[in-house]
Amino acid sequence: MRSATRSALQLLALVAVAGALPAVLAHGDEGATDMDKDMNMNMNMNMTKADPKPDPDSYPPNYFAHPEHVVEIYAHIVLMAIGWVFMLPLAVLFSIAQSRYTLAIQFVFLFTNAVGVLLGISYNANTPDLYPNNAHHKLGWIVTWIVCAQVMIGLVGRVAGMMGRKGAQEHGNEEEQAFIPVSTQAMAEHQRANDAVYTHPYRHSSDSGQGTEPNTESLHSNSVSTAVGQESPIELSDRRAHYEDDDDLEDLHFKPAELLSSKPASSFITKIAGMISTRAWKVLLFPYKLIDRTILLVGFATFCTGIVTFGRFFEGHEIFNGLAHWIKGGIFFWYGIMTLGRWSGSFGELGWAWNVRPKQSSQRWRPTAEFVEGALIFTYGSTNIFLEHLANAGKAFSSTDLEHISITVLFIGGGLLAMLVESTRIRELLNTTVYDAALSHPSRAYSDEERASLREPRQYEFSINPIPGLVILLLGIMMSSHTQQTMISSMVHKQWGNLLTAASFARGFTYVLLYLKPPQSVLPSRPPTELMTAFGLIAGGIIFMASARDAINGMINYDLNAMFFYTVTMGLVGLVMAWVVIALALKGWAVRKESGRAASSWTLTSRA
């Protein structure tokens, strides 16, 4: 005990000496101290001179500083935020869950969006066009009409009974029943029954009615009385007499969708639903589901163009700098949202939620999450390497261009390496030497204890691939020390570089935890470090977007320092992550609501 205590005290003393050593060396030479002070003062003076406030008249007028109709534009912003940040994601998740409340939430979104659009139209009519030919107006109308078309498909499909969890299955069963194969013998018996009803409506007076008619069923021992589509002669006669008096017989033949509902086809929407065939429904449901999976990304782009238009950013040649920062920042933002979704349990059926992939009826190959991350990194690097020189097109490559191109080369190599590491075939080939050495001895040469060494390690059952995190780590380190023209720009770049670095370290700790104890359950293991990873990626992505040149100039013009924006972003990210978790929980509730199972049945205890 005393030796342990003495060792601990010695270690603390060593740490204290090591910590005091830089201070001792710094005060060892007063001349050097004075020189360092002069250098620091000169540096501070240079950094202060690097960020002079521009002349207010030289900064272009924008909607942010426009003094007229302020209430209308901020009401427009608030309504669009409510619609596109809260209502639309909830509608998408409920639609994927095939909830009965999908249409109601979609109509709430359309109402909110419509009021916001009217306010935007009124504001544009009463204010000068400060951003001519901006992309927000065009893209806003496009996505609005896309969502309207999706809601219309959902409305008609709900009336036709095709949008519910059971609607499509029931419709498919109706078609199967209509095309059930019937044997030739059953068809012949059905024909004889028809002849008995319509050819011999009355019996002879001497007939006892006990099967003496030549076409009665009692004379045929192999008849099938319960075949699909076959009824007794009396039932068939009554049904035919009923339909002969029915004027809507032709409608029943040409409007099969109406058979799914007992209500009369009185509304216009019901008539439209009745005229759509099953094949047409399959065609319509494909874009409906495609919109569900992509509308949030398109809505995010529309929301971003609204911010750009409001601040009048990225006009003229600055479009290249703006696209570079906002596209890359948006990628990291959604990467963080996906990471938070994986922690919450999304994509658990694929084994992406840090869990064991559940057994399913189809055990086809599915890519791991790390393989998808590597593929995205590789694709981004492969496409972006040709775009880094667009801002200086026609000119010689500068050192900054070569620096950016080197980053894309890192993405290409890192993404390719990540995909190779995820390939089970590659890993099996890498084990060839070990296989050859182990197989050179007969199996009887191994004892029972030695046979355990021939089994695959537990770590083989789960993907542990740090390469995507390493690429992001290196990117964060490089951008933290990236040379910038102004002090505030350097600070902002350092902020999001540090956030990406922290996210990479958190992902690394996740792999350490999983390597020590791989997941053994189909339920999400929810490593706590992944919450830190998601936070760093989302916050880093937002600040990445704010580090564009025009955004920095706007911060300087309006006396907004880097720390102000940093603190506001941290609070915003906390709210965004909380809303994502709530929305995913509501989706789980909707799935359980539509499944029809009892609340007590949603557990795996009985199958464990």
Side-chain angles (χ1 to χ4, degrees):
M1 182 67 181
R2 292 181 179 178
S3 61
T5 305
R6 182 178 301 173
S7 300
L9 292 175
Q10 291 176 353
L11 181 60
L12 290 175
L14 180 61
V15 171
V17 171
L21 185 60
V24 173
L25 295 177
H27 289 82
D29 188 356
E30 295 296 334
T33 303
D34 295 337
M35 184 175 63
D36 292 339
K37 290 181 179 180
D38 293 337
M39 291 180 62
N40 291 332
M41 292 178 61
N42 293 332
M43 185 178 295
N44 292 332
M45 292 177 62
N46 292 333
M47 294 176 70
T48 305
K49 292 179 180 179
D51 292 347
K53 185 176 180 180
D55 184 7
D57 296 333
S58 65
Y59 198 79
N62 52 69
Y63 295 109
F64 177 76
H66 192 69
E68 300 177 358
H69 303 279
V70 177
V71 175
E72 290 185 24
I73 187 59
Y74 281 104
H76 169 80
I77 293 173
V78 170
L79 287 174
M80 287 305 179
I82 294 174
W84 290 89
V85 178
F86 294 97
M87 292 293 103
L88 183 62
L90 203 59
V92 169
L93 293 176
F94 273 40
S95 177
I96 295 175
Q98 299 181 1
S99 172
R100 69 192 73 178
Y101 306 110
T102 302
L103 269 180
I105 299 176
Q106 287 176 338
F107 277 114
V108 172
F109 164 75
L110 287 182
F111 174 78
T112 306
N113 184 73
V115 176
V117 168
L118 291 176
L119 289 174
I121 293 175
S122 174
Y123 181 80
N124 291 333
N126 296 320
T127 56
D129 189 4
L130 300 180
Y131 202 138
N133 198 28
N134 65 82
H136 179 63
H137 294 164
K138 305 179 183 65
L139 189 58
W141 282 112
I142 291 174
V143 295
T144 297
W145 286 114
I146 288 176
V147 176
C148 289
Q150 185 197 29
V151 174
M152 183 57 64
I153 294 174
L155 177 62
V156 177
R158 181 68 62 177
V159 173
M162 294 294 295
M163 298 305 296
R165 184 173 287 270
K166 300 179 181 179
Q169 297 176 356
E170 293 178 356
H171 193 80
N173 293 336
E174 293 273 349
E175 289 185 333
E176 291 177 1
Q177 293 178 4
F179 294 98
I180 290 179
V182 182
S183 63
T184 306
Q185 183 178 3
M187 291 296 296
E189 185 65 26
H190 183 73
Q191 182 64 34
R192 285 192 292 271
N194 289 343
D195 294 341
V197 174
Y198 293 100
T199 307
H200 307 282
Y202 304 103
R203 288 187 295 107
H204 296 286
S205 59
S206 60
D207 189 3
S208 63
Q210 301 295 326
T212 56
E213 282 293 319
N215 292 329
T216 56
E217 185 178 82
S218 61
L219 296 180
H220 305 278
S221 58
N222 296 328
S223 63
V224 182
S225 60
T226 60
V228 177
Q230 180 180 356
E231 300 87 350
S232 64
I234 297 176
E235 292 175 349
L236 188 61
S237 177
D238 293 340
R239 179 171 294 186
R240 183 167 296 188
H242 172 73
Y243 282 134
E244 284 177 352
D245 295 335
D246 194 348
D247 297 333
D248 297 332
L249 182 61
E250 295 181 359
D251 294 339
L252 291 174
H253 286 292
F254 291 98
K255 295 181 180 180
E258 293 178 12
L259 296 176
L260 298 176
S261 177
S262 59
K263 297 180 181 180
S266 57
S267 66
F268 176 73
I269 298 179
T270 308
K271 293 180 180 179
I272 295 178
M275 292 185 291
I276 301 177
S277 64
T278 305
R279 182 174 298 179
W281 272 120
K282 292 180 179 179
V283 175
L284 290 175
L285 289 179
F286 175 78
Y288 183 92
K289 295 178 180 179
L290 181 63
I291 293 173
D292 272 343
R293 270 72 179 180
T294 58
I295 192 61
L296 293 182
L297 297 176
V298 180
F300 176 77
T302 307
F303 202 86
C304 290
T305 57
I307 298 174
V308 170
T309 304
F310 188 62
R312 195 173 179 179
F313 298 146
F314 315 141
E315 283 188 302
H317 194 69
E318 292 297 323
I319 183 65
F320 299 109
N321 183 268
L323 288 176
H325 285 79
W326 283 58
I327 291 177
K328 296 174 184 177
I331 290 174
F332 283 112
F333 174 85
W334 283 102
Y335 188 15
I337 296 293
M338 178 182 173
T339 301
L340 181 59
R342 291 178 60 189
W343 179 90
S344 302
S346 301
F347 312 106
E349 68 278 5
L350 302 176
W352 291 11
W354 314 104
N355 64 322
V356 177
R357 182 184 172 189
K359 294 293 183 181
Q360 298 176 349
S361 58
S362 176
Q363 288 294 322
R364 294 183 297 176
W365 176 83
R366 293 291 187 274
T368 62
E370 285 72 16
F371 183 89
V372 174
E373 291 175 354
L376 291 177
I377 291 174
F378 175 79
T379 303
Y380 173 80
S382 302
T383 56
N384 203 56
I385 193 172
F386 304 103
L387 305 177
E388 292 293 347
H389 192 58
L390 283 180
N392 296 323
K395 301 179 182 179
F397 279 82
S398 63
S399 59
T400 304
D401 293 335
L402 296 177
E403 182 180 353
H404 291 165
I405 291 175
S406 300
I407 295 176
T408 61
V409 173
L410 168 65
F411 274 61
I412 294 174
L416 182 59
L417 177 59
M419 290 188 291
L420 292 176
V421 171
E422 288 302 305
S423 173
T424 55
R425 179 60 177 168
I426 293 295
R427 294 202 300 263
E428 185 181 1
L429 291 175
L430 294 176
N431 292 336
T432 301
T433 304
V434 179
Y435 288 153
D436 184 55
L439 295 175
S440 61
H441 297 278
S443 59
R444 62 178 179 272
Y446 293 93
S447 63
D448 294 338
E449 296 180 356
E450 292 174 339
R451 291 181 186 277
S453 64
L454 301 177
R455 300 171 185 169
E456 291 185 347
R458 293 185 307 165
Q459 288 77 10
Y460 278 30
E461 300 176 0
F462 192 80
S463 173
I464 300 178
N465 188 350
I467 301 302
L470 176 62
V471 172
I472 297 175
L473 171 65
L474 295 176
L475 177 65
I477 294 175
M478 288 185 290
M479 300 312 297
S480 297
S481 56
H482 193 41
T483 304
Q484 300 297 321
Q485 298 178 352
T486 61
M487 179 191 67
I488 189 172
S489 180
S490 299
M491 293 179 62
V492 173
H493 277 78
K494 188 176 182 62
Q495 287 173 355
W496 68 259
N498 290 339
L499 287 168
L500 295 186
T501 302
S504 301
F505 274 116
R507 174 60 63 85
F509 286 132
T510 299
Y511 286 129
V512 171
L513 295 175
L514 296 179
Y515 186 83
L516 296 176
K517 190 174 182 180
Q520 298 179 352
S521 173
V522 298
L523 297 176
S525 59
R526 297 195 175 100
T529 49
E530 283 304 294
L531 290 174
M532 301 170 61
T533 304
F535 191 97
L537 290 173
I538 296 174
I542 295 176
I543 298 181
F544 195 158
M545 299 168 69
S547 65
R549 189 180 299 116
D550 272 4
I552 296 296
N553 292 335
M555 295 171 66
I556 296 173
N557 182 71
Y558 294 109
D559 293 326
L560 300 176
N561 56 54
M563 204 60 202
F564 167 80
F565 190 80
Y566 186 83
T567 54
V568 171
T569 302
M570 297 303 104
L572 177 63
V573 171
L575 294 176
V576 169
M577 293 181 64
W579 169 239
V580 170
V581 173
I582 292 174
L584 292 176
L586 289 175
K587 181 203 171 187
W589 171 83
V591 172
R592 296 190 180 193
K593 185 76 172 178
E594 298 301 324
S595 67
R597 297 180 184 176
S600 59
S601 65
W602 286 95
T603 179
L604 300 179
T605 306
S606 60
R607 299 191 178 187

